[in-house]
Amino acid sequence: MILLLQIISGCLLLQLLFALWNTTRLPKLGVVERVVHSISDSPLIQEGVPRLSVLIPARDEVDNIAACLASVLACRSVGWDFEVLVLDDRSSDGTGELAAATGDHRVKVLAGRELPEGWLGKSNACDQLAEAARGTWLLFLDADIRLRPEALEAAMLTANAQGDGLVTGFPGQVTRTWLEKLIVPLMNFTIICHLPIPLVRGVRDPRFVAAHGGFMLIQRDSYSRSGGHAYIRTELVDDMALARAVKISGDPVTLANVVDYTEMRMYHNATEVWNGYRKNIYAGLGRRPLLLLGLLIVYTLMYVLPIVILTLACLTNQGTLALWALLAALLGMAIKRTSDASAKQAVWLCLLVSVSMLCLSAIAISSWRGAQSGQGYEWKGRWYR
């Protein structure tokens, strides 16, 4: 058992070193390495055409849409213009009416068309938004995101430096209930621990990509070359699918640190967390059961087993075994803390990494069962398979 813990500790140490290095490779939104045109002086701007279209698909978002729009409209845009389009995706709670009540001339509310056969809901909404947008750059936002006043200027500075392609990032996550705190920060954990950040921009291989649908900034021509949401209309994890399509088309993808400019609360209770992650986990792994099984085994060995052994060793007075188990447990917590620090999550969350992994495993198994049984997944009144 001590040998197993030594091997686990070695693996965890390597993982920690990788995570520490990887966090330093994540570029910050608005920080560019070379001098670029100012946003208003960009040669891509045409007279009478907004530089940016902010596109918000919204289905039953009456609790979010007003605050989302207020944060967008409060953003600075000195010397350049932007428009805001909201697609009311056949809401039943007055989302569209509330969005229209802003009274700001930059906001236009579109009535969503009925979901066509062969399309998934969000891709259908985003396709309609892109069709109506006039901007050179298209920023797809989720209705639960909140922008800080400097967000759009920082985004456009990065976009202007890049020239075309896609800029995306994981917004700062607000978590309040227990399952939110245990599960939601693991989005950032998977990126920091498993995806070499420089390869997202540095290579054209679409396997090296990450994206968050809450913040997707894409140049209009790149959107067309990738096929847009029409090309990925059947993909359950649409943000990753669009990012891969952009890479395949030959345009750059940048994964940026956007937590200084954005925040969102994706879920509001344990049921929403469970259903949201259940819908996406298995599909996000390409519906590959062996990959899912391998990840669950690795996460259990590295982050759960040391705590179990530590507990048993303390109860049976096995000092040496307890010390090795403690070392492995502390390394696991250090890895989680490295990830949480980059996402500005609470320090104490790293102490519960083993609980997070157990909860994640339960949701992942449920996600696999939903696909294997053909039952599918329910989300916002629609069923996905």
Side-chain angles (χ1 to χ4, degrees), residues 58-344:
R59 178 176 172 85
D60 294 335
E61 293 285 1
V62 72
D63 293 332
N64 280 313
I65 194 64
C68 176
L69 286 173
S71 74
V72 172
L73 295 172
C75 286
R76 295 198 299 260
S77 59
V78 179
W80 57 281
D81 197 13
F82 66 89
E83 64 175 355
V84 183
L85 304 183
V86 178
L87 192 289
D88 179 18
D89 191 13
R90 308 178 75 82
S91 299
S92 60
D93 62 355
T95 294
E97 292 83 352
L98 188 58
T102 60
D104 193 294
H105 72 279
R106 292 170 292 180
V107 178
K108 181 178 180 181
V109 180
L110 309 176
R113 299 190 291 265
E114 187 173 349
L115 185 64
E117 186 177 351
W119 283 73
L120 295 184
K122 187 175 181 180
S123 289
N124 178 51
C126 290
D127 181 70
Q128 295 173 66
L129 286 165
E131 182 181 302
R134 299 183 299 125
T136 306
W137 284 83
L138 312 177
L139 176 59
F140 293 96
L141 297 178
D142 283 350
D144 50 8
I145 201 169
R146 309 290 181 262
L147 302 184
R148 292 188 173 87
E150 307 84 4
L152 294 186
E153 286 189 339
M156 292 308 298
L157 186 60
T158 296
N160 202 31
Q162 183 165 301
D164 56 10
L166 171 69
V167 178
T168 183
F170 286 71
Q173 297 297 320
V174 177
T175 58
R176 297 197 176 118
T177 63
W178 65 272
L179 199 58
E180 287 178 80
K181 293 182 181 295
L182 290 173
I183 293 297
V184 172
L186 292 179
M187 286 190 305
N188 195 64
F189 176 89
T190 58
I191 301 304
I192 295 302
C193 290
H194 302 307
L195 176 67
I197 300 297
L199 298 186
V200 176
R201 178 69 185 273
V203 301
R204 292 182 59 176
D205 190 329
R207 292 175 297 179
F208 296 101
V209 75
H212 193 292
F215 190 95
M216 301 278 283
L217 177 61
I218 186 168
Q219 203 267 346
R220 174 176 289 278
D221 292 337
S222 297
Y223 183 80
S224 298
R225 283 191 292 269
S226 71
H229 286 89
Y231 179 70
I232 61 164
R233 59 186 176 273
T234 62
E235 294 287 344
L236 197 56
V237 188
D238 54 277
D239 46 10
M240 290 286 288
L242 182 60
R244 283 193 293 266
V246 171
K247 264 202 166 187
I248 291 171
S249 70
D251 286 326
V253 174
T254 293
L255 179 67
N257 186 337
V258 303
V259 297
D260 289 334
Y261 299 102
T262 62
E263 70 173 27
M264 68 190 308
R265 189 179 181 192
M266 295 174 60
Y267 310 109
H268 291 75
N269 53 57
T271 299
E272 288 185 5
V273 174
W274 183 279
N275 289 336
Y277 276 82
R278 181 175 181 268
K279 175 174 68 75
N280 291 330
I281 287 179
Y282 192 53
L285 293 174
R287 298 179 183 268
R288 290 173 286 182
L290 291 180
L291 177 59
L292 175 62
L293 177 62
L295 282 175
L296 294 183
I297 291 173
V298 169
Y299 279 179
T300 300
L301 287 174
M302 293 178 69
Y303 299 102
V304 178
L305 185 62
I307 293 293
V308 174
I309 295 176
L310 176 61
T311 302
L312 294 175
C314 290
L315 291 175
T316 56
N317 296 316
Q318 298 184 63
T320 303
L321 184 62
L323 287 175
W324 279 106
L326 178 62
L327 174 62
L330 290 176
L331 285 170
M333 293 174 189
I335 294 168
K336 182 63 162 55
R337 179 57 201 150
T338 300
S339 165
D340 286 346
S342 70
K344 297 189 174 180

